[in-house]
Amino acid sequence: MLLRQAFSNLIENAIRHTPSQTTITAAIKVTGNSIHIEITDNGPGIPGEAMLRVFDRFVRLDTSRTHDGNGLGLSMVKAIIQLHAGTITLRDNKPGLRCIISLPIKTQ
């Protein structure tokens, strides 16, 4: 349920912070004992110096101040991913943003 909330938040952010004609994609692949999820867009992206800061609580970039929110969404996403022993990184998609999530596959 938490992972569903995290992915919903990421996709809602992509929709909210990009122009209406932006293409947003989600891709999933399994490699070894990990599942990799990438959510990408071709919108304006996030400046390189801000990519790490956006995961901090209450951080809102100047470009997002015209939208509702309190700056907790991406910090919550990161906490959920880490709770599931995963990692999340942001990269420049040239143009846009690439969000890369890696989660371990638990075998029994």
Side-chain angles (χ1 to χ4, degrees):
M1 191 145 147
L2 288 174
L3 287 171
R4 183 180 329 151
Q5 179 63 43
F7 293 116
S8 174
N9 185 290
L10 288 170
I11 293 169
E12 286 175 15
N13 273 357
I15 293 168
R16 183 180 302 129
H17 297 290
T18 59
S20 62
Q21 298 302 313
T22 300
T23 299
I24 300 167
T25 60
I28 301 171
K29 72 177 180 177
V30 175
T31 306
N33 290 331
S34 297
I35 185 166
H36 303 278
I37 302 103
E38 288 193 19
I39 299 171
T40 62
D41 68 64
N42 63 348
I46 296 175
E49 68 276 2
M51 283 195 195
L52 290 177
R53 282 189 358 196
V54 296
F55 289 119
D56 294 340
R57 287 186 211 149
F58 305 113
V59 168
R60 296 187 67 204
L61 301 181
D62 288 338
T63 55
S64 69
R65 296 200 187 275
T66 58
H67 301 281
D68 291 338
N70 52 22
L72 290 173
L74 289 178
S75 65
M76 179 194 70
V77 168
K78 184 175 181 179
I80 292 169
I81 298 302
Q82 289 177 334
L83 178 67
H84 290 85
T87 60
I88 181 170
T89 56
L90 300 177
R91 299 278 185 257
D92 188 345
N93 200 38
K94 301 179 183 181
L97 185 67
R98 178 177 302 273
C99 177
I100 305 161
I101 297 165
S102 181
L103 294 164
I105 297 173
K106 293 184 180 181
T107 58
Q108 299 198 15

XYZ file of all heavy atoms in Angstrom:
825
model
N 0.819 -1.184 0.000
C 0.000 0.000 0.000
C 0.875 1.266 0.000
O 0.569 2.217 -0.696
C -0.918 -0.011 1.214
C -1.957 1.017 1.148
S -3.408 0.321 1.918
C -4.115 1.737 2.633
N 1.969 1.239 0.763
C 2.872 2.388 0.791
C 3.550 2.596 -0.564
O 3.708 3.737 -1.014
C 3.919 2.221 1.886
C 3.425 2.367 3.321
C 4.539 2.028 4.309
C 2.892 3.771 3.575
N 3.954 1.509 -1.199
C 4.575 1.640 -2.517
C 3.586 2.224 -3.524
O 3.968 3.055 -4.356
C 5.116 0.295 -3.001
C 6.385 -0.187 -2.299
C 6.716 -1.614 -2.699
C 7.547 0.745 -2.598
N 2.347 1.816 -3.454
C 1.329 2.382 -4.338
C 1.228 3.894 -4.128
O 1.154 4.665 -5.076
C -0.022 1.730 -4.087
C -1.074 2.233 -5.038
C -2.447 1.635 -4.844
N -2.406 0.281 -4.359
C -3.369 -0.250 -3.602
N -4.414 0.454 -3.256
N -3.289 -1.496 -3.201
N 1.269 4.323 -2.863
C 1.216 5.753 -2.553
C 2.441 6.479 -3.113
O 2.329 7.572 -3.660
C 1.125 5.961 -1.041
C 1.094 7.418 -0.637
C -0.135 8.132 -1.162
O -1.238 7.610 -1.117
N 0.049 9.334 -1.686
N 3.611 5.861 -2.987
C 4.842 6.477 -3.487
C 4.782 6.668 -5.006
O 5.086 7.755 -5.517
C 6.054 5.632 -3.107
N 4.387 5.643 -5.731
C 4.329 5.746 -7.189
C 3.232 6.706 -7.641
O 3.402 7.451 -8.604
C 4.180 4.374 -7.837
C 5.398 3.529 -7.652
C 5.356 2.360 -6.918
C 6.617 3.925 -8.185
C 6.491 1.589 -6.729
C 7.752 3.163 -8.006
C 7.688 1.999 -7.273
N 2.128 6.710 -6.933
C 1.060 7.661 -7.232
C 1.569 9.089 -7.058
O 1.312 9.962 -7.893
C -0.134 7.394 -6.307
O -1.112 8.383 -6.475
N 2.307 9.329 -5.996
C 2.857 10.658 -5.736
C 3.813 11.079 -6.847
O 3.763 12.221 -7.322
C 3.547 10.674 -4.375
C 4.020 12.052 -3.997
O 4.956 12.570 -4.586
N 3.382 12.637 -2.996
N 4.687 10.174 -7.276
C 5.643 10.496 -8.340
C 4.939 10.853 -9.643
O 5.298 11.825 -10.323
C 6.605 9.328 -8.566
C 7.643 9.108 -7.480
C 8.367 7.789 -7.704
C 8.616 10.273 -7.422
N 3.931 10.080 -10.000
C 3.217 10.344 -11.248
C 2.399 11.626 -11.141
O 2.370 12.439 -12.071
C 2.362 9.127 -11.644
C 3.305 7.962 -12.009
C 1.420 9.463 -12.801
C 2.629 6.630 -12.165
N 1.752 11.853 -9.993
C 1.008 13.098 -9.802
C 1.946 14.303 -9.877
O 1.586 15.338 -10.450
C 0.273 13.078 -8.471
C -0.945 12.185 -8.475
C -1.604 12.076 -7.117
O -1.310 12.891 -6.215
O -2.429 11.159 -6.952
N 3.138 14.205 -9.301
C 4.111 15.292 -9.390
C 4.495 15.564 -10.832
O 4.602 16.715 -11.253
C 5.383 14.971 -8.587
C 5.283 15.364 -7.143
O 4.293 15.937 -6.706
N 6.307 15.044 -6.384
N 4.718 14.504 -11.593
C 5.079 14.674 -12.998
C 3.961 15.391 -13.752
O 4.222 16.284 -14.554
C 5.388 13.323 -13.637
N 2.737 15.031 -13.477
C 1.597 15.671 -14.136
C 1.477 17.131 -13.703
O 1.300 18.033 -14.518
C 0.295 14.902 -13.834
C 0.333 13.523 -14.498
C -0.935 15.699 -14.278
C -0.768 12.582 -14.025
N 1.606 17.384 -12.418
C 1.407 18.716 -11.856
C 2.493 19.713 -12.275
O 2.213 20.887 -12.471
C 1.363 18.624 -10.327
C 1.076 19.955 -9.653
C 1.046 19.845 -8.137
N 0.044 18.885 -7.706
C 0.280 17.887 -6.854
N 1.475 17.712 -6.347
N -0.677 17.067 -6.509
N 3.736 19.257 -12.421
C 4.853 20.167 -12.624
C 5.394 20.190 -14.048
O 6.514 20.628 -14.282
C 5.976 19.838 -11.640
C 5.558 20.034 -10.217
N 5.327 21.277 -9.672
C 5.301 19.138 -9.234
C 4.963 21.142 -8.410
N 4.931 19.846 -8.127
N 4.588 19.719 -14.996
C 5.003 19.766 -16.399
C 3.879 20.367 -17.237
O 2.714 20.322 -16.851
C 5.336 18.359 -16.945
O 4.184 17.527 -16.824
C 6.506 17.731 -16.209
N 4.226 20.945 -18.391
C 3.192 21.499 -19.279
C 2.246 20.411 -19.789
O 2.571 19.216 -19.768
C 4.001 22.088 -20.435
C 5.385 22.249 -19.927
C 5.581 21.186 -18.891
N 1.094 20.829 -20.290
C 0.047 19.875 -20.671
C 0.437 18.920 -21.792
O -0.099 17.831 -21.875
C -1.229 20.618 -21.060
O -0.983 21.438 -22.186
N 1.356 19.256 -22.656
C 1.741 18.378 -23.765
C 2.932 17.473 -23.426
O 3.499 16.834 -24.306
C 2.054 19.212 -25.008
C 0.870 20.011 -25.510
C -0.329 19.136 -25.844
O -0.208 18.115 -26.515
N -1.497 19.520 -25.350
N 3.311 17.411 -22.173
C 4.451 16.603 -21.744
C 4.121 15.116 -21.836
O 3.013 14.694 -21.509
C 4.840 16.955 -20.297
O 5.175 18.334 -20.243
C 6.009 16.130 -19.815
N 5.096 14.335 -22.269
C 4.963 12.881 -22.278
C 5.564 12.333 -20.988
O 6.709 12.642 -20.652
C 5.698 12.271 -23.488
O 5.115 12.796 -24.679
C 5.598 10.756 -23.483
N 4.785 11.535 -20.274
C 5.238 10.894 -19.038
C 5.178 9.395 -19.270
O 4.159 8.872 -19.727
C 4.341 11.294 -17.845
C 4.385 12.809 -17.645
C 4.768 10.556 -16.574
C 3.327 13.338 -16.718
N 6.286 8.702 -18.971
C 6.309 7.254 -19.172
C 6.750 6.557 -17.896
O 7.477 7.130 -17.076
C 7.260 6.843 -20.317
O 8.573 7.276 -19.996
C 6.829 7.463 -21.628
N 6.321 5.329 -17.748
C 6.756 4.474 -16.644
C 7.207 3.151 -17.254
O 6.537 2.604 -18.133
C 5.627 4.248 -15.648
N 8.357 2.677 -16.815
C 8.892 1.409 -17.311
C 9.358 0.575 -16.132
O 9.898 1.107 -15.154
C 10.050 1.659 -18.264
N 9.151 -0.713 -16.233
C 9.542 -1.641 -15.165
C 10.340 -2.774 -15.803
O 9.948 -3.313 -16.842
C 8.308 -2.235 -14.462
C 7.459 -1.116 -13.855
C 8.726 -3.240 -13.398
C 6.117 -1.593 -13.328
N 11.466 -3.125 -15.164
C 12.216 -4.300 -15.626
C 12.836 -4.996 -14.421
O 13.134 -4.384 -13.404
C 13.264 -3.925 -16.667
C 14.448 -3.175 -16.145
C 15.446 -2.935 -17.276
C 16.643 -2.169 -16.739
N 17.666 -1.953 -17.744
N 13.005 -6.276 -14.575
C 13.613 -7.097 -13.526
C 15.017 -7.460 -13.979
O 15.223 -7.908 -15.111
C 12.779 -8.363 -13.266
C 13.466 -9.267 -12.266
C 11.388 -7.988 -12.801
N 15.978 -7.235 -13.098
C 17.365 -7.582 -13.360
C 17.897 -8.320 -12.137
O 17.995 -7.725 -11.062
C 18.221 -6.320 -13.616
O 17.609 -5.561 -14.655
C 19.634 -6.678 -14.004
N 18.222 -9.587 -12.298
C 18.726 -10.361 -11.162
C 17.719 -10.383 -10.031
O 16.579 -10.793 -10.216
N 18.135 -9.906 -8.863
C 17.265 -9.891 -7.690
C 16.680 -8.517 -7.412
O 16.326 -8.210 -6.275
C 18.039 -10.384 -6.456
C 18.344 -11.859 -6.549
O 17.601 -12.612 -7.164
N 19.446 -12.266 -5.948
N 16.592 -7.679 -8.449
C 16.064 -6.325 -8.278
C 15.010 -6.014 -9.326
O 15.043 -6.540 -10.434
C 17.183 -5.284 -8.410
O 18.135 -5.444 -7.395
N 14.104 -5.151 -8.947
C 13.141 -4.603 -9.890
C 13.469 -3.121 -10.035
O 13.743 -2.439 -9.047
C 11.688 -4.837 -9.431
C 10.709 -4.373 -10.499
C 11.396 -4.190 -8.099
C 9.300 -4.871 -10.293
N 13.512 -2.648 -11.269
C 13.864 -1.264 -11.558
C 12.657 -0.582 -12.193
O 12.102 -1.083 -13.171
C 15.063 -1.191 -12.497
C 16.264 -1.905 -11.954
N 17.107 -1.329 -11.037
C 16.734 -3.145 -12.168
C 18.055 -2.189 -10.722
N 17.847 -3.312 -11.397
N 12.290 0.551 -11.632
C 11.173 1.327 -12.137
C 11.704 2.698 -12.533
O 12.417 3.331 -11.761
C 10.069 1.483 -11.072
C 9.566 0.115 -10.608
C 8.908 2.319 -11.607
C 10.084 -0.313 -9.299
N 11.377 3.134 -13.727
C 11.766 4.469 -14.176
C 10.518 5.231 -14.584
O 9.709 4.733 -15.352
C 12.729 4.408 -15.360
C 14.100 3.950 -14.993
C 15.119 4.188 -16.103
O 14.847 5.014 -17.005
O 16.167 3.548 -16.055
N 10.395 6.423 -14.028
C 9.335 7.331 -14.424
C 10.032 8.530 -15.045
O 10.880 9.157 -14.415
C 8.460 7.739 -13.223
C 7.810 6.487 -12.627
C 7.417 8.774 -13.644
C 7.094 6.700 -11.331
N 9.715 8.804 -16.299
C 10.402 9.873 -17.016
C 9.394 10.835 -17.626
O 8.235 10.482 -17.870
C 11.299 9.313 -18.137
O 10.482 8.622 -19.078
C 12.349 8.367 -17.593
N 9.861 12.044 -17.859
C 9.057 13.017 -18.591
C 9.977 13.864 -19.452
O 11.195 13.827 -19.286
C 8.217 13.879 -17.635
C 9.042 14.800 -16.773
O 9.716 15.698 -17.320
O 9.013 14.648 -15.536
N 9.385 14.596 -20.370
C 10.167 15.491 -21.217
C 9.812 16.952 -20.940
O 9.866 17.796 -21.818
C 9.997 15.152 -22.702
C 8.570 15.319 -23.179
O 7.646 15.481 -22.393
N 8.369 15.271 -24.483
N 9.446 17.223 -19.690
C 9.097 18.574 -19.263
C 10.327 19.399 -18.923
O 11.433 19.117 -19.402
N 10.169 20.411 -18.072
C 11.269 21.316 -17.753
C 12.340 20.710 -16.846
O 13.444 21.223 -16.768
C 10.578 22.494 -17.074
C 9.314 21.926 -16.512
C 8.910 20.839 -17.472
N 12.025 19.627 -16.145
C 13.014 18.981 -15.272
C 13.262 19.756 -13.992
O 12.540 20.685 -13.647
N 14.313 19.351 -13.297
C 14.734 19.980 -12.040
C 16.188 20.369 -12.218
O 16.989 19.556 -12.692
C 14.592 19.001 -10.851
C 13.125 18.637 -10.623
C 15.204 19.586 -9.583
C 12.910 17.583 -9.546
N 16.565 21.588 -11.845
C 17.979 21.969 -11.955
C 18.873 20.990 -11.189
O 18.496 20.506 -10.120
C 18.022 23.367 -11.315
C 16.618 23.865 -11.359
C 15.738 22.645 -11.296
N 20.036 20.705 -11.755
C 20.948 19.722 -11.170
C 21.255 19.948 -9.706
O 21.269 19.013 -8.902
N 21.471 21.206 -9.313
C 21.823 21.498 -7.922
C 20.656 21.262 -6.961
O 20.849 21.149 -5.762
C 22.332 22.935 -7.780
C 21.299 24.012 -8.015
C 21.080 24.391 -9.474
O 21.711 23.791 -10.368
O 20.266 25.288 -9.719
N 19.437 21.135 -7.478
C 18.270 20.938 -6.623
C 17.837 19.478 -6.530
O 16.984 19.149 -5.710
C 17.109 21.779 -7.139
N 18.436 18.597 -7.324
C 17.959 17.205 -7.378
C 18.067 16.477 -6.039
O 17.236 15.637 -5.738
C 18.675 16.441 -8.477
C 18.133 16.793 -9.835
S 18.644 15.615 -11.065
C 18.263 16.515 -12.545
N 19.075 16.753 -5.243
C 19.172 16.111 -3.937
C 18.301 16.803 -2.903
O 17.717 16.160 -2.034
C 20.626 16.074 -3.457
C 21.542 15.143 -4.225
C 22.969 15.255 -3.706
C 21.059 13.702 -4.146
N 18.182 18.106 -3.009
C 17.398 18.877 -2.030
C 15.919 18.554 -2.064
O 15.239 18.667 -1.048
C 17.558 20.378 -2.290
C 18.821 20.969 -1.813
C 18.763 22.465 -1.931
N 17.466 22.836 -2.534
C 17.174 23.994 -3.056
N 18.038 24.934 -3.075
N 16.000 24.243 -3.588
N 15.378 18.176 -3.225
C 13.936 17.956 -3.321
C 13.461 16.787 -2.458
O 12.270 16.668 -2.195
C 13.452 17.767 -4.776
C 13.673 19.026 -5.583
C 14.073 16.563 -5.425
N 14.365 15.952 -1.999
C 13.994 14.844 -1.118
C 13.934 15.270 0.352
O 13.503 14.501 1.203
C 14.966 13.676 -1.267
C 14.833 12.954 -2.578
C 15.895 12.887 -3.455
C 13.642 12.332 -2.943
C 15.787 12.217 -4.659
C 13.520 11.662 -4.138
C 14.598 11.606 -5.001
N 14.378 16.493 0.658
C 14.316 16.993 2.039
C 12.903 17.459 2.356
O 12.173 17.934 1.480
C 15.297 18.157 2.234
C 16.752 17.736 2.105
O 17.040 16.526 2.252
O 17.585 18.613 1.843
N 12.526 17.352 3.627
C 11.192 17.784 4.042
C 11.027 19.284 3.860
O 11.948 20.049 4.129
C 10.950 17.437 5.509
C 10.730 15.989 5.722
C 10.353 15.725 7.151
N 10.852 14.417 7.489
C 11.253 14.043 8.670
N 11.216 14.886 9.667
N 11.692 12.831 8.867
N 9.848 19.669 3.435
C 9.402 21.057 3.292
C 10.133 21.837 2.202
O 9.996 23.050 2.113
C 9.494 21.814 4.623
C 8.753 21.139 5.735
C 9.435 20.585 6.808
C 7.373 21.020 5.694
C 8.749 19.945 7.829
C 6.676 20.381 6.714
C 7.375 19.845 7.791
N 10.908 21.158 1.361
C 11.585 21.848 0.263
C 10.627 21.970 -0.907
O 10.024 20.989 -1.339
C 12.874 21.101 -0.165
C 13.402 21.657 -1.477
C 13.910 21.199 0.922
N 10.501 23.203 -1.391
C 9.703 23.472 -2.583
C 10.542 24.362 -3.477
O 11.051 25.384 -3.051
C 8.395 24.167 -2.223
C 7.520 23.251 -1.352
C 6.171 23.827 -1.108
N 5.440 23.857 -2.380
C 4.455 24.686 -2.629
N 4.072 25.564 -1.742
N 3.845 24.661 -3.787
N 10.696 23.956 -4.712
C 11.449 24.764 -5.653
C 10.621 25.976 -6.049
O 9.392 25.950 -6.002
C 11.800 23.938 -6.890
C 12.624 22.674 -6.636
C 12.912 21.970 -7.948
C 13.912 23.008 -5.903
N 11.289 27.034 -6.445
C 10.578 28.258 -6.836
C 9.535 27.986 -7.905
O 8.454 28.570 -7.884
C 11.568 29.311 -7.332
C 12.387 29.893 -6.189
O 11.934 29.821 -5.029
O 13.482 30.412 -6.461
N 9.834 27.087 -8.828
C 8.890 26.803 -9.921
C 7.630 26.092 -9.447
O 6.631 26.073 -10.134
C 9.563 25.942 -11.003
O 10.084 24.762 -10.395
C 10.667 26.714 -11.697
N 7.659 25.498 -8.249
C 6.483 24.768 -7.761
C 5.659 25.590 -6.780
O 4.630 25.134 -6.301
C 6.910 23.459 -7.096
O 7.590 23.718 -5.893
N 6.069 26.786 -6.497
C 5.360 27.587 -5.495
C 3.980 28.043 -5.958
O 3.179 28.492 -5.157
C 6.207 28.770 -5.069
C 7.480 28.303 -4.384
C 8.090 29.383 -3.541
N 9.384 28.971 -3.034
C 9.569 28.259 -1.939
N 8.544 27.865 -1.239
N 10.778 27.930 -1.544
N 3.687 27.920 -7.229
C 2.357 28.286 -7.724
C 1.361 27.137 -7.571
O 0.179 27.308 -7.830
C 2.427 28.701 -9.205
O 2.964 27.618 -9.964
C 3.286 29.942 -9.391
N 1.827 25.978 -7.138
C 0.967 24.808 -6.949
C 0.764 24.553 -5.457
O 1.608 24.887 -4.635
C 1.610 23.554 -7.575
C 1.863 23.689 -9.039
N 0.876 23.545 -9.979
C 2.995 23.949 -9.728
C 1.389 23.715 -11.181
N 2.679 23.964 -11.058
N -0.372 23.932 -5.137
C -0.612 23.537 -3.751
C 0.404 22.501 -3.326
O 0.905 21.732 -4.139
C -2.019 22.943 -3.594
C -3.111 23.984 -3.760
O -2.815 25.180 -3.576
O -4.253 23.596 -4.071
N 0.694 22.455 -2.064
C 1.602 21.451 -1.523
C 2.399 22.020 -0.380
O 2.451 23.230 -0.161
N 3.021 21.099 0.358
C 3.793 21.524 1.519
C 5.243 21.070 1.465
O 5.974 21.239 2.426
C 3.125 21.029 2.808
C 2.854 19.544 2.772
O 3.490 18.810 2.020
N 1.910 19.103 3.582
N 5.659 20.464 0.360
C 7.044 20.047 0.239
C 7.373 18.746 0.944
O 8.526 18.468 1.239
N 6.367 17.930 1.193
C 6.602 16.651 1.865
C 6.524 15.452 0.927
O 6.968 14.360 1.275
C 5.596 16.451 3.004
C 5.782 17.352 4.208
C 4.621 17.182 5.178
C 7.099 17.066 4.893
N 5.995 15.634 -0.267
C 5.740 14.512 -1.169
C 6.960 13.682 -1.505
O 6.964 12.456 -1.324
N 8.020 14.305 -1.999
C 9.193 13.529 -2.400
C 9.973 12.998 -1.206
O 10.588 11.938 -1.297
C 10.089 14.358 -3.320
C 9.519 14.596 -4.712
C 10.450 15.474 -5.534
C 9.248 13.295 -5.432
N 9.923 13.695 -0.068
C 10.588 13.140 1.116
C 9.848 11.893 1.589
O 10.466 10.912 2.016
C 10.693 14.173 2.247
O 9.422 14.542 2.723
N 8.520 11.899 1.462
C 7.736 10.712 1.809
C 8.042 9.569 0.844
O 8.213 8.420 1.259
C 6.247 11.038 1.760
C 5.362 9.847 2.082
S 3.643 10.116 1.637
C 3.741 10.089 -0.140
N 8.132 9.881 -0.445
C 8.458 8.859 -1.444
C 9.794 8.209 -1.107
O 9.922 6.980 -1.093
C 8.477 9.462 -2.871
C 9.089 8.487 -3.862
C 7.075 9.861 -3.300
N 10.802 9.021 -0.827
C 12.130 8.482 -0.513
C 12.080 7.608 0.736
O 12.676 6.523 0.774
C 13.141 9.605 -0.330
C 14.542 9.086 -0.108
C 15.558 10.194 -0.055
C 16.961 9.615 0.139
N 17.968 10.673 0.167
N 11.350 8.050 1.762
C 11.236 7.262 2.995
C 10.578 5.909 2.729
O 11.010 4.880 3.259
C 10.454 8.050 4.048
N 9.549 5.888 1.895
C 8.861 4.633 1.572
C 9.795 3.696 0.813
O 9.872 2.499 1.117
C 7.572 4.903 0.780
C 6.544 5.597 1.666
C 7.016 3.611 0.190
C 5.338 6.143 0.924
N 10.504 4.236 -0.170
C 11.429 3.407 -0.943
C 12.512 2.836 -0.039
O 12.851 1.644 -0.106
C 12.038 4.214 -2.111
C 10.950 4.681 -3.088
C 13.120 3.410 -2.826
C 10.100 3.604 -3.700
N 13.066 3.650 0.842
C 14.108 3.176 1.760
C 13.550 2.166 2.755
O 14.242 1.220 3.131
C 14.749 4.354 2.484
C 15.623 5.190 1.578
C 16.210 6.407 2.266
O 15.659 6.936 3.228
N 17.343 6.862 1.755
N 12.310 2.335 3.183
C 11.666 1.376 4.078
C 11.613 -0.014 3.445
O 11.698 -1.028 4.130
C 10.246 1.847 4.419
C 9.404 0.946 5.306
C 9.989 0.894 6.716
C 7.965 1.430 5.339
N 11.533 -0.041 2.119
C 11.498 -1.306 1.373
C 12.888 -1.690 0.858
O 13.011 -2.473 -0.085
C 10.502 -1.202 0.228
C 9.081 -1.161 0.700
N 8.469 0.007 1.097
C 8.168 -2.144 0.866
C 7.229 -0.270 1.479
N 7.020 -1.566 1.352
N 13.937 -1.137 1.484
C 15.344 -1.438 1.169
C 15.729 -1.061 -0.257
O 16.604 -1.660 -0.860
C 15.663 -2.914 1.445
N 15.063 -0.039 -0.790
C 15.338 0.396 -2.154
C 16.091 1.704 -2.215
O 16.405 2.315 -1.192
N 16.354 2.131 -3.445
C 17.006 3.413 -3.682
C 16.194 4.199 -4.704
O 15.487 3.616 -5.536
C 18.440 3.236 -4.228
O 18.387 2.525 -5.467
C 19.321 2.496 -3.229
N 16.325 5.513 -4.630
C 15.677 6.400 -5.587
C 16.674 7.486 -5.959
O 17.336 8.051 -5.092
C 14.361 6.988 -5.024
C 13.695 7.893 -6.070
C 14.594 7.716 -3.709
C 12.278 8.315 -5.700
N 16.792 7.733 -7.253
C 17.675 8.793 -7.734
C 16.970 9.569 -8.834
O 16.082 9.040 -9.517
C 19.008 8.243 -8.280
O 18.724 7.285 -9.308
C 19.832 7.580 -7.203
N 17.378 10.801 -8.983
C 16.864 11.650 -10.047
C 17.991 11.973 -11.006
O 19.122 12.203 -10.585
C 16.292 12.950 -9.462
C 15.146 12.801 -8.469
C 14.737 14.166 -7.925
C 13.956 12.102 -9.100
N 17.681 12.009 -12.288
C 18.659 12.326 -13.328
C 18.011 13.264 -14.345
O 16.788 13.279 -14.513
C 19.114 11.058 -14.067
C 19.781 10.028 -13.192
C 21.249 10.361 -12.978
N 21.901 9.307 -12.234
C 22.202 9.371 -10.953
N 21.895 10.422 -10.253
N 22.808 8.367 -10.355
N 18.850 13.977 -15.046
C 18.386 14.816 -16.139
C 17.990 13.909 -17.299
O 18.746 13.022 -17.689
C 19.514 15.760 -16.556
C 19.065 16.808 -17.547
O 17.968 16.666 -18.136
O 19.811 17.773 -17.748
N 16.805 14.091 -17.842
C 16.337 13.284 -18.965
C 16.612 13.964 -20.302
O 16.386 13.391 -21.342
C 14.837 12.991 -18.823
C 14.405 11.812 -19.636
O 15.110 10.824 -19.765
N 13.213 11.897 -20.206
N 17.059 15.185 -20.275
C 17.496 15.958 -21.459
C 16.515 15.929 -22.613
O 16.830 15.344 -23.651
C 18.882 15.493 -21.900
C 19.925 15.657 -20.822
C 21.265 15.182 -21.274
C 22.227 15.320 -20.101
N 23.558 14.929 -20.384
N 15.368 16.490 -22.595
C 14.829 17.340 -21.541
C 14.003 16.530 -20.561
O 13.604 15.404 -20.838
C 13.934 18.309 -22.304
C 13.390 17.467 -23.427
C 14.541 16.545 -23.795
N 13.732 17.144 -19.441
C 12.855 16.544 -18.456
C 13.591 15.891 -17.313
O 14.763 16.167 -17.053
N 12.877 15.006 -16.647
C 13.382 14.364 -15.441
C 13.242 12.853 -15.556
O 12.266 12.348 -16.116
C 12.589 14.864 -14.217
C 13.062 14.393 -12.861
C 14.445 14.977 -12.541
C 12.077 14.802 -11.784
N 14.211 12.145 -15.022
C 14.195 10.684 -14.958
C 14.297 10.305 -13.485
O 15.256 10.660 -12.813
C 15.364 10.112 -15.746
C 15.466 8.587 -15.700
C 16.620 8.092 -16.562
N 16.479 8.521 -17.947
C 15.796 7.864 -18.882
N 15.215 6.722 -18.588
N 15.714 8.324 -20.106
N 13.304 9.608 -12.990
C 13.293 9.114 -11.615
C 13.532 7.610 -11.684
O 12.767 6.878 -12.315
C 11.953 9.415 -10.961
S 11.826 8.777 -9.293
N 14.609 7.162 -11.037
C 15.008 5.754 -11.102
C 14.877 5.139 -9.716
O 15.498 5.611 -8.763
C 16.460 5.630 -11.604
C 16.610 6.349 -12.949
C 16.874 4.166 -11.694
C 18.032 6.684 -13.313
N 14.092 4.091 -9.633
C 13.870 3.396 -8.360
C 14.320 1.954 -8.525
O 14.011 1.305 -9.520
C 12.383 3.437 -7.961
C 11.954 4.894 -7.745
C 12.124 2.588 -6.728
C 10.486 5.084 -7.693
N 15.063 1.478 -7.547
C 15.497 0.085 -7.535
C 15.041 -0.542 -6.210
O 15.287 0.027 -5.143
C 17.020 0.007 -7.662
O 17.427 -1.344 -7.665
N 14.383 -1.665 -6.314
C 13.864 -2.379 -5.139
C 14.322 -3.832 -5.192
O 14.289 -4.454 -6.267
C 12.338 -2.339 -5.090
C 11.705 -0.979 -4.878
C 10.227 -1.025 -5.241
C 11.891 -0.530 -3.434
N 14.722 -4.375 -4.053
C 15.114 -5.790 -4.056
C 13.877 -6.684 -4.173
O 12.799 -6.333 -3.709
C 15.791 -5.975 -2.696
C 15.173 -4.935 -1.826
C 14.864 -3.765 -2.736
N 14.062 -7.809 -4.828
C 13.007 -8.808 -4.903
C 13.292 -9.812 -3.796
O 14.350 -10.424 -3.758
C 13.005 -9.519 -6.266
C 12.706 -8.517 -7.367
C 11.977 -10.655 -6.261
C 12.836 -9.092 -8.762
N 12.338 -9.936 -2.915
C 12.521 -10.880 -1.800
C 12.109 -12.266 -2.259
O 11.018 -12.476 -2.773
C 11.678 -10.453 -0.600
C 12.153 -9.168 0.011
C 11.384 -8.830 1.239
C 11.913 -7.535 1.817
N 11.232 -7.157 3.029
N 13.022 -13.210 -2.091
C 12.710 -14.592 -2.431
C 12.557 -15.379 -1.142
O 13.159 -15.084 -0.133
C 13.839 -15.208 -3.278
O 15.056 -15.122 -2.560
C 13.946 -14.494 -4.600
N 11.715 -16.398 -1.215
C 11.469 -17.165 -0.001
C 12.051 -18.534 -0.089
O 12.309 -19.094 -1.028
C 9.973 -17.249 0.236
C 9.427 -15.855 0.414
C 8.070 -15.874 1.077
O 7.638 -16.866 1.640
N 7.396 -14.754 1.047
